[in-house]
Amino acid sequence: MDIPRIFNITESAHRIHNPFTPDKYATLGAALRLSAGARVLDLGSGSGEMLCTWARDHGIVGTGIDMSPLFTAQAQSRAVELGVAGQVSFIHGDAAGHVADEKVDVAACIGASWIAGGVAGTIALLAQSLRPGGIILIGEPYWRQLPPSDEVARQCLAHTVADFLTLPELVSSFGNLGHDVVEMVLANPDGWDRYEAAKWLTMRRWLQANPNDELASEVRTQLTTEPLRHVTYTREYLGWGVFALMAR
Ligand code: SAH
């Protein structure tokens, strides 16, 4: 069981697989007023940076589930590196339908809401693992500027303009789903650069080391076109943030 190999190549050197930077996860962890021993579930935990740093900085305990064996192994190494392997565990698996055995204080899905078919489905899934009064975290893109056409939306790697909401629409959608927005931390264009631009050096070095790989021509095309696509489209049009929700 794995995600498409192209992501394991282009994001192999990422600690954070979204436009958040370490300071944003630190701000979010402080904003949530986490107490030592708080239980956190993370669906689509990637390389585990959120759980590992919050375990180190706030004493949380947690479980992450991710479909990429590579990212899961990186998360396990990071936990050892930060001295928190006794507090957090990372499971390789499909997070679709995953419900925790023991209810958690914080249930998160940061940049992987397709796991449960979108934001509404993800909130419903996370709610099944949450103790009463617990907090749900959703990381999601939104339009900073509405694209003038579906073609521009496609250049932002959406299918159509309707794939994402504006920030006011996204915030009001959480209310329509019966949740209070109790905190939020937003990424910024520099964070998008950390996520997108970090892929370019990884791709360049991978190409040098793997010139005959079956994905070499795809990676070559991406390396040639991605910097211009990123600065023209994603960096200008797409926002991204993590929203903390509590059921009304
Ligand atoms: N939350 C992480 C990673 C976000 S990227 C971070 O902040 O860095 C999305 C992640 O979802 C990737 O790590 C990918 O491997 C994982 N993923 C995709 N489909 C999944 C599924 N069905 N079950 C579990 N993880 C999945």
Side-chain angles (χ1 to χ4, degrees):
M1 186 195 302
D2 204 346
I3 58 173
R5 186 167 164 247
I6 186 75
F7 299 111
N8 287 319
I9 294 170
T10 59
E11 298 188 26
S12 63
H14 285 54
R15 275 205 181 125
I16 299 173
H17 304 264
N18 66 52
F20 254 23
T21 42
D23 59 304
K24 296 288 182 180
Y25 269 132
T27 299
L28 179 64
L32 295 175
R33 306 169 204 173
L34 298 163
S35 30
R39 304 176 57 80
V40 183
L41 172 69
D42 190 10
L43 302 186
S45 44
S47 300
E49 193 67 4
M50 181 179 84
L51 285 182
C52 290
T53 54
W54 288 0
R56 178 194 62 192
D57 299 340
H58 301 286
I60 62 113
V61 296
T63 303
I65 295 152
D66 200 281
M67 211 187 231
S68 163
L70 173 68
F71 299 166
T72 304
Q74 290 179 164
Q76 288 159 348
S77 309
R78 186 69 172 148
V80 171
E81 187 183 13
L82 295 188
V84 296
Q87 288 161 255
V88 292
S89 56
F90 294 97
I91 299 166
H92 169 234
D94 188 349
H98 180 90
V99 177
D101 296 333
E102 204 179 326
K103 300 277 189 211
V104 299
D105 301 289
V106 177
C109 181
I110 310 295
S113 61
W114 61 84
I115 284 174
V119 172
T122 300
I123 291 174
L125 174 61
L126 293 172
Q128 293 179 58
S129 294
L130 200 65
R131 71 157 168 83
I135 290 179
I136 285 177
L137 297 178
I138 298 277
E140 194 65 11
Y142 59 85
W143 296 123
R144 284 173 64 213
Q145 268 191 71
L146 211 56
S149 65
D150 284 336
E151 174 50 28
V152 170
R154 276 192 288 278
Q155 293 288 343
C156 299
L157 309 184
H159 298 104
T160 70
V161 177
D163 273 14
F164 303 130
L165 302 174
T166 62
L167 182 56
E169 288 168 345
L170 183 58
V171 165
S172 63
S173 77
F174 295 128
N176 296 336
L177 291 168
H179 283 71
D180 289 322
V181 179
V182 297
E183 256 295 358
M184 69 171 202
V185 177
L186 303 182
N188 59 32
D190 292 343
W192 273 112
D193 296 342
R194 288 306 83 236
Y195 179 47
E196 295 294 341
K199 298 175 191 172
W200 310 335
L201 181 58
T202 303
M203 289 196 281
R204 178 61 202 252
R205 290 196 168 150
W206 182 89
L207 275 171
Q208 270 168 296
N210 300 277
N212 300 318
D213 191 279
E214 59 180 9
L215 288 185
S217 70
E218 183 178 342
V219 172
R220 178 67 250 174
T221 302
Q222 279 205 25
L223 177 57
T224 306
T225 57
E226 275 291 291
L228 180 58
R229 187 200 63 76
H230 170 63
V231 298
T232 312
Y233 298 106
T234 300
R235 198 176 201 284
E236 290 302 306
Y237 288 95
L238 264 189
W240 196 90
V242 178
F243 302 87
L245 313 175
M246 291 177 72
R248 282 185 181 148

